[in-house]
Amino acid sequence: MDSGCAFRSLDDFSEVIASKDTNVRLEVYNQLESFLKQSHSNLHCTDLNSFCNSIMAWVSSSNFKISINGLTIIQLLIQHMHEKLQNYCIDIIVHIVDRLADSKEQVRAASKNILLFMMTTYTPTYIWDRLNVGFNHKIAKVKEEILELLIESFDKFGASCMHLGKMVTFVVKLLTDHNQFVRDKALLCLIEVYKTVGDRLRNELKKKQLPEEKVKLIFGKFDDVLKHGKMKEATNCLPMPKPGRFSKATFFFLLF
């Protein structure tokens, strides 16, 4: 790649980001990241679908550096092209969810953080309505990480921003997953969500026709939370910032 090449718009990056050469991808990343961080950059893109597909190929790369670079670029694109990228949310989420099973902790953490960033950019309910694929994923590690993300979402955004009943339905299903780690994480998820929402969760669970022994086990865990004073203060639904108004500190906190 010609290091002296001048990139005047996103269109100028389209051909080079489609390269499958690792060195080319790593080199152009620095230029694309710098371009997107400039407030007056020309974000015109004739074929945004093709552009996003090329970056999604980065996200799916087996090279963890390229995968994280792809996640970073997607986050920058969402930051600056909030409305245009909304049409690509499902495709973006599907690719990111797959990275939750990555062997590198850095990739898993970056994947969860960008999903939280998307919840902040749009709304938590908008993103979670498109995250169903995570609860039904064939890979157990993805389901574990989705449950952890759900806990973080309730902590960060508050119960009033989440569809409690719908979320509980997915978590309850995973209580009988074939994988022990997923079952344990599902129970832990219910306990952690209870700390935030309280007896609203008991009421939702009563609607799910769970076996009596399972209900006793779960409610016993809830009682232990109350007994030991581990309830959390209620979090109000955070106002969603306007597109392009994220502070630099917020952006990098979410990314890393």
Side-chain angles (χ1 to χ4, degrees):
M1 188 180 75
D2 181 5
S3 60
C5 178
F7 297 102
R8 298 174 296 275
S9 72
L10 283 183
D11 275 337
D12 292 335
F13 286 95
S14 294
E15 182 177 351
V16 68
I17 64 171
S19 172
K20 299 187 185 302
D21 186 287
T22 298
N23 291 329
V24 171
R25 284 175 164 181
L26 292 173
E27 184 178 348
V28 75
Y29 163 74
N30 292 323
Q31 295 172 284
L32 180 53
E33 180 192 32
S34 177
F35 181 86
L36 289 171
K37 286 182 177 179
Q38 295 173 22
S39 59
H40 300 297
S41 291
N42 181 355
L43 300 180
H44 174 74
C45 187
T46 303
D47 190 349
L48 187 57
N49 183 62
S50 178
F51 193 97
C52 288
N53 286 341
S54 294
I55 298 301
M56 285 297 99
W58 289 21
V59 172
S60 300
S61 173
S62 59
N63 183 308
F64 83 97
K65 290 183 180 179
I66 292 175
S67 183
I68 290 177
N69 288 350
L71 291 167
T72 304
I73 296 302
I74 286 296
Q75 185 161 323
L76 283 165
L77 288 170
I78 291 172
Q79 182 187 11
H80 295 296
M81 305 173 71
H82 169 88
E83 294 182 359
K84 291 182 179 179
L85 266 291
Q86 190 167 355
N87 294 329
Y88 300 93
C89 272
I90 293 179
D91 287 340
I92 290 172
I93 287 171
V94 168
H95 281 83
I96 294 174
V97 164
D98 285 342
R99 307 317 298 161
L100 293 175
D102 197 275
S103 60
K104 294 284 188 180
E105 192 278 334
Q106 302 101 306
V107 176
R108 297 197 303 273
S111 298
K112 284 190 293 185
N113 284 340
I114 192 173
L115 289 170
L116 288 170
F117 179 81
M118 292 175 73
M119 292 177 206
T120 303
T121 305
Y122 302 104
T123 66
T125 52
Y126 182 85
I127 299 303
W128 274 109
D129 284 347
R130 289 152 181 79
L131 269 172
N132 297 355
V133 62
F135 292 106
N136 300 311
H137 206 280
K138 63 182 180 180
I139 300 177
K141 186 61 177 176
V142 170
K143 289 183 278 192
E144 287 184 64
E145 295 292 336
I146 282 290
L147 288 165
E148 186 64 37
L149 180 65
L150 184 58
I151 294 171
E152 293 181 34
S153 298
F154 272 99
D155 285 346
K156 182 175 180 64
F157 301 108
S160 59
C161 282
M162 308 285 288
H163 288 316
L164 181 62
K166 183 182 293 187
M167 296 297 100
V168 170
T169 297
F170 289 121
V171 177
V172 165
K173 181 179 178 181
L174 294 183
L175 288 171
T176 57
D177 191 84
H178 69 277
N179 184 281
Q180 180 66 51
F181 293 110
V182 174
R183 296 196 300 271
D184 291 345
K185 181 66 75 171
L187 178 58
L188 176 63
C189 181
L190 289 176
I191 295 168
E192 291 301 316
V193 171
Y194 178 78
K195 293 177 182 178
T196 301
V197 306
D199 284 340
R200 285 179 57 195
L201 182 53
R202 290 185 195 257
N203 295 333
E204 288 294 338
L205 288 171
K206 290 175 182 177
K207 303 174 186 177
K208 305 303 179 184
Q209 299 181 332
L210 287 166
E212 185 176 349
E213 289 186 1
K214 181 68 70 175
V215 173
K216 287 182 178 179
L217 171 65
I218 296 171
F219 284 9
K221 298 290 186 182
F222 294 171
D223 291 339
D224 287 341
V225 169
L226 289 173
K227 180 179 178 181
H228 294 94
K230 294 184 178 179
M231 294 296 290
K232 300 176 182 177
E233 291 186 16
T235 302
N236 294 323
C237 191
L238 298 176
M240 299 297 113
K242 295 180 180 179
R245 295 294 183 181
F246 307 105
S247 70
K248 191 172 185 180
T250 299
F251 176 79
F252 284 104
F253 170 77
L254 286 168
L255 183 59
F256 297 107

